[in-house]
Coordinates of all heavy atoms in Angstrom, one line a residue:
V221 N -34.4 4.4 1.1 CA -34.2 5.6 1.9 C -35.2 6.6 1.6 O -35.6 6.7 0.4 CB -32.7 6.2 1.7 CG1 -31.7 5.2 2.2 CG2 -32.5 6.6 0.3
P222 N -35.7 7.4 2.6 CA -36.7 8.4 2.3 C -36.2 9.6 1.7 O -35.2 10.2 2.1 CB -37.3 8.7 3.7 CG -36.2 8.4 4.6 CD -35.4 7.3 4.0
L223 N -36.8 10.1 0.6 CA -36.4 11.3 0.0 C -37.6 12.3 0.0 O -38.5 12.2 -0.8 CB -36.0 11.1 -1.5 CG -34.8 10.2 -1.7 CD1 -34.5 10.0 -3.2 CD2 -33.5 10.8 -1.0
Q224 N -37.5 13.3 0.9 CA -38.5 14.3 1.1 C -37.9 15.7 1.1 O -36.8 15.9 1.7 CB -39.2 14.1 2.5 CG -39.9 12.7 2.6 CD -40.4 12.4 4.0 OE1 -40.1 13.2 4.9 NE2 -41.2 11.4 4.1
V225 N -38.5 16.6 0.4 CA -37.9 17.9 0.3 C -39.0 19.0 0.6 O -40.2 18.6 0.6 CB -37.4 18.2 -1.1 CG1 -36.2 17.2 -1.4 CG2 -38.4 18.1 -2.2
S226 N -38.6 20.2 0.8 CA -39.5 21.3 1.0 C -38.9 22.6 0.4 O -37.7 22.7 0.3 CB -39.7 21.5 2.6 OG -40.4 22.7 2.9
T227 N -39.8 23.5 0.0 CA -39.3 24.7 -0.5 C -39.5 25.9 0.5 O -39.4 27.1 0.1 CB -40.1 25.1 -1.8 OG1 -41.5 25.1 -1.5 CG2 -39.8 24.1 -2.9
N228 N -39.7 25.5 1.8 CA -39.8 26.6 2.8 C -38.5 27.2 3.1 O -37.4 26.6 2.9 CB -40.4 25.9 4.1 CG -41.8 25.5 4.0 OD1 -42.6 26.0 3.2 ND2 -42.2 24.4 4.7
D229 N -38.5 28.5 3.5 CA -37.3 29.1 3.9 C -36.6 28.4 5.0 O -37.2 27.8 5.9 CB -37.5 30.6 4.3 CG -37.9 31.4 3.0 OD1 -37.7 31.0 1.9 OD2 -38.4 32.6 3.3
V230 N -35.2 28.5 5.1 CA -34.5 28.0 6.2 C -34.0 29.1 7.1 O -33.9 30.2 6.7 CB -33.2 27.2 5.7 CG1 -33.7 26.0 4.8 CG2 -32.3 28.1 4.9
A231 N -33.8 28.8 8.4 CA -33.4 29.7 9.4 C -31.9 29.6 9.7 O -31.5 28.5 10.1 CB -34.2 29.5 10.7
L232 N -31.2 30.6 9.4 CA -29.7 30.6 9.6 C -29.3 32.0 10.1 O -29.8 33.0 9.6 CB -29.0 30.4 8.3 CG -29.1 29.0 7.7 CD1 -28.5 29.0 6.3 CD2 -28.3 28.0 8.6
D233 N -28.6 32.0 11.2 CA -28.1 33.2 11.8 C -29.2 34.2 12.2 O -29.2 35.4 12.1 CB -27.1 33.9 10.8 CG -26.4 35.1 11.5 OD1 -26.2 35.0 12.7 OD2 -25.9 36.0 10.8
G234 N -30.3 33.6 12.6 CA -31.5 34.3 13.1 C -32.3 35.0 12.0 O -33.2 35.8 12.2
R235 N -32.0 34.6 10.7 CA -32.7 35.2 9.6 C -33.3 34.1 8.7 O -32.8 33.0 8.7 CB -31.8 36.1 8.8 CG -31.4 37.4 9.5 CD -30.6 38.3 8.6 NE -29.3 37.7 8.4 CZ -28.4 38.3 7.5 NH1 -28.8 39.4 6.8 NH2 -27.2 37.7 7.3
A236 N -34.3 34.4 7.9 CA -34.8 33.5 6.9 C -34.1 33.6 5.6 O -33.9 34.7 5.1 CB -36.3 33.7 6.7
W237 N -33.7 32.4 5.0 CA -33.0 32.4 3.8 C -33.8 31.4 2.8 O -34.4 30.5 3.3 CB -31.6 31.9 3.9 CG -30.7 32.8 4.7 CD1 -30.7 32.9 6.1 CD2 -29.8 33.8 4.3 NE1 -29.8 33.9 6.5 CE2 -29.2 34.4 5.4 CE3 -29.4 34.2 3.0 CZ2 -28.3 35.4 5.3 CZ3 -28.5 35.2 2.9 CH2 -27.9 35.8 4.0
P238 N -33.7 31.6 1.5 CA -34.3 30.7 0.6 C -33.6 29.3 0.8 O -32.5 29.2 1.1 CB -34.0 31.2 -0.8 CG -33.7 32.7 -0.6 CD -33.1 32.8 0.8
W239 N -34.4 28.2 0.6 CA -33.9 26.9 0.8 C -32.7 26.6 0.0 O -31.8 25.8 0.4 CB -35.0 25.9 0.5 CG -35.4 25.9 -1.0 CD1 -36.4 26.6 -1.5 CD2 -34.9 25.1 -2.0 NE1 -36.5 26.4 -2.9 CE2 -35.6 25.5 -3.2 CE3 -33.8 24.2 -2.1 CZ2 -35.3 24.9 -4.4 CZ3 -33.5 23.6 -3.3 CH2 -34.2 24.0 -4.5
W240 N -32.6 27.1 -1.2 CA -31.5 26.8 -2.1 C -30.2 27.4 -1.6 O -29.1 26.9 -2.1 CB -31.8 27.3 -3.5 CG -32.2 28.7 -3.7 CD1 -33.4 29.2 -3.8 CD2 -31.2 29.8 -3.7 NE1 -33.4 30.6 -3.9 CE2 -32.0 31.0 -3.9 CE3 -29.9 30.0 -3.7 CZ2 -31.5 32.3 -4.0 CZ3 -29.3 31.2 -3.8 CH2 -30.1 32.3 -4.0
T241 N -30.2 28.3 -0.7 CA -28.9 28.8 -0.1 C -28.2 27.7 0.7 O -27.0 27.6 0.6 CB -29.1 30.1 0.7 OG1 -30.0 29.7 1.8 CG2 -29.7 31.2 -0.1
S242 N -28.9 27.0 1.4 CA -28.3 25.9 2.2 C -27.8 24.8 1.2 O -26.7 24.2 1.4 CB -29.4 25.2 3.1 OG -29.5 26.0 4.3
V243 N -28.6 24.5 0.2 CA -28.2 23.5 -0.8 C -26.9 23.9 -1.5 O -26.0 23.1 -1.7 CB -29.3 23.2 -1.8 CG1 -28.8 22.3 -3.0 CG2 -30.5 22.6 -1.1
A244 N -26.8 25.2 -1.8 CA -25.7 25.8 -2.5 C -24.4 25.6 -1.7 O -23.3 25.3 -2.2 CB -25.9 27.2 -2.9
V245 N -24.5 26.0 -0.4 CA -23.4 25.9 0.5 C -23.0 24.4 0.7 O -21.8 24.1 0.7 CB -23.7 26.5 1.9 CG1 -22.5 26.2 2.9 CG2 -23.9 28.0 1.7
L246 N -23.9 23.5 0.8 CA -23.6 22.1 1.0 C -22.9 21.6 -0.3 O -21.9 20.8 -0.1 CB -24.9 21.3 1.2 CG -25.6 21.4 2.6 CD1 -26.9 20.7 2.6 CD2 -24.7 20.8 3.7
A247 N -23.4 22.0 -1.4 CA -22.8 21.5 -2.7 C -21.4 22.1 -2.9 O -20.4 21.3 -3.2 CB -23.7 21.8 -3.8
L248 N -21.2 23.4 -2.8 CA -20.0 24.0 -3.1 C -18.9 23.8 -2.0 O -17.8 23.4 -2.3 CB -20.2 25.5 -3.3 CG -18.9 26.4 -3.5 CD1 -18.2 25.9 -4.8 CD2 -19.3 27.8 -3.6
V249 N -19.3 24.0 -0.7 CA -18.3 24.0 0.4 C -18.2 22.6 0.9 O -17.1 22.0 1.0 CB -18.7 25.0 1.5 CG1 -17.8 24.9 2.6 CG2 -18.8 26.4 1.0
S250 N -19.3 22.0 1.3 CA -19.2 20.7 2.0 C -19.1 19.5 1.1 O -19.0 18.3 1.6 CB -20.5 20.5 2.9 OG -20.5 21.6 3.9
A251 N -19.2 19.7 -0.2 CA -19.0 18.6 -1.1 C -17.7 18.9 -2.0 O -16.7 18.2 -1.9 CB -20.2 18.3 -2.0
A252 N -17.9 19.8 -2.9 CA -16.8 20.1 -3.8 C -15.5 20.5 -3.1 O -14.4 19.8 -3.3 CB -17.2 21.2 -4.8
V253 N -15.5 21.5 -2.3 CA -14.2 21.9 -1.6 C -13.8 20.8 -0.6 O -12.6 20.5 -0.6 CB -14.5 23.2 -0.9 CG1 -13.3 23.6 0.0 CG2 -14.7 24.4 -1.9
A254 N -14.7 20.3 0.1 CA -14.3 19.3 1.2 C -13.6 18.1 0.6 O -12.6 17.6 1.1 CB -15.5 18.9 2.0
Y255 N -14.2 17.5 -0.4 CA -13.6 16.3 -1.0 C -12.3 16.5 -1.7 O -11.4 15.7 -1.6 CB -14.7 15.6 -1.9 CG -15.7 14.8 -1.1 CD1 -17.0 15.3 -0.9 CD2 -15.4 13.5 -0.6 CE1 -17.9 14.6 -0.1 CE2 -16.3 12.8 0.1 CZ -17.6 13.3 0.4 OH -18.5 12.6 1.1
V256 N -12.3 17.6 -2.6 CA -11.0 17.8 -3.3 C -9.9 18.1 -2.4 O -8.8 17.5 -2.5 CB -11.3 19.0 -4.3 CG1 -9.9 19.4 -4.9 CG2 -12.2 18.6 -5.4
F257 N -10.1 19.0 -1.4 CA -9.0 19.4 -0.5 C -8.7 18.2 0.4 O -7.5 18.0 0.8 CB -9.4 20.6 0.4 CG -9.3 21.9 -0.3 CD1 -9.4 22.0 -1.7 CD2 -9.0 23.0 0.4 CE1 -9.2 23.2 -2.4 CE2 -8.8 24.3 -0.3 CZ -8.9 24.3 -1.6
G258 N -9.7 17.4 0.8 CA -9.4 16.2 1.6 C -8.5 15.2 0.9 O -7.6 14.6 1.5
I259 N -8.7 15.0 -0.4 CA -7.9 14.0 -1.1 C -6.5 14.6 -1.3 O -5.5 13.9 -1.1 CB -8.5 13.8 -2.5 CG1 -9.8 13.0 -2.4 CG2 -7.5 13.0 -3.4 CD1 -10.6 12.9 -3.7
M260 N -6.4 15.9 -1.6 CA -5.0 16.5 -1.7 C -4.3 16.5 -0.4 O -3.1 16.2 -0.4 CB -5.2 17.9 -2.3 CG -5.7 18.0 -3.7 SD -6.0 19.6 -4.3 CE -4.4 20.2 -4.5
A261 N -5.0 16.7 0.7 CA -4.3 16.6 2.0 C -3.8 15.2 2.3 O -2.7 15.0 2.8 CB -5.3 17.1 3.1
S262 N -4.7 14.2 2.0 CA -4.3 12.8 2.3 C -3.0 12.4 1.5 O -2.2 11.7 2.0 CB -5.4 11.9 2.0 OG -6.5 12.1 2.8
R263 N -2.9 12.9 0.3 CA -1.8 12.6 -0.6 C -0.5 13.3 -0.1 O 0.6 12.8 -0.3 CB -2.1 12.8 -2.0 CG -3.2 12.0 -2.6 CD -3.4 12.0 -4.0 NE -4.5 11.1 -4.4 CZ -5.1 11.1 -5.6 NH1 -4.6 11.9 -6.6 NH2 -6.1 10.3 -5.8
A264 N -0.7 14.4 0.4 CA 0.5 15.2 0.9 C 1.0 14.7 2.3 O 2.2 14.7 2.5 CB 0.2 16.7 1.0
L265 N 0.0 14.3 3.1 CA 0.4 14.0 4.5 C 0.4 12.5 4.8 O 1.0 12.1 5.8 CB -0.7 14.7 5.5 CG -0.8 16.2 5.4 CD1 -1.9 16.6 6.3 CD2 0.5 16.9 5.8
G266 N -0.3 11.7 4.0 CA -0.5 10.3 4.3 C -1.8 10.1 5.0 O -2.4 11.0 5.6
A267 N -2.4 8.9 4.9 CA -3.7 8.6 5.4 C -3.8 8.8 6.9 O -4.8 9.4 7.4 CB -4.1 7.2 5.0
S268 N -2.9 8.3 7.6 CA -3.0 8.4 9.1 C -3.0 9.8 9.6 O -3.8 10.2 10.4 CB -1.9 7.6 9.8 OG -0.6 8.0 9.3
T269 N -2.0 10.6 9.2 CA -2.0 12.0 9.6 C -3.2 12.8 9.2 O -3.8 13.5 10.0 CB -0.7 12.7 9.1 OG1 0.5 12.0 9.5 CG2 -0.6 14.1 9.6
A270 N -3.6 12.7 7.9 CA -4.7 13.4 7.4 C -6.0 13.0 8.2 O -6.9 13.9 8.5 CB -4.9 13.1 6.0
S271 N -6.1 11.7 8.5 CA -7.4 11.3 9.2 C -7.5 11.9 10.6 O -8.5 12.1 11.1 CB -7.4 9.8 9.3 OG -6.4 9.2 10.1

Side-chain angles (χ1 to χ4, degrees):
V221 295
L223 296 179
Q224 300 170 349
V225 299
S226 170
T227 57
N228 294 331
D229 289 346
V230 296
L232 291 167
D233 193 25
R235 293 183 291 173
W237 296 82
W239 63 270
W240 53 263
T241 56
S242 278
V243 172
V245 173
L246 286 173
L248 176 61
V249 178
S250 298
V253 171
Y255 280 100
V256 172
F257 280 29
I259 294 172
M260 295 176 71
S262 295
R263 295 192 182 168
L265 302 173
S268 55
T269 301
S271 66

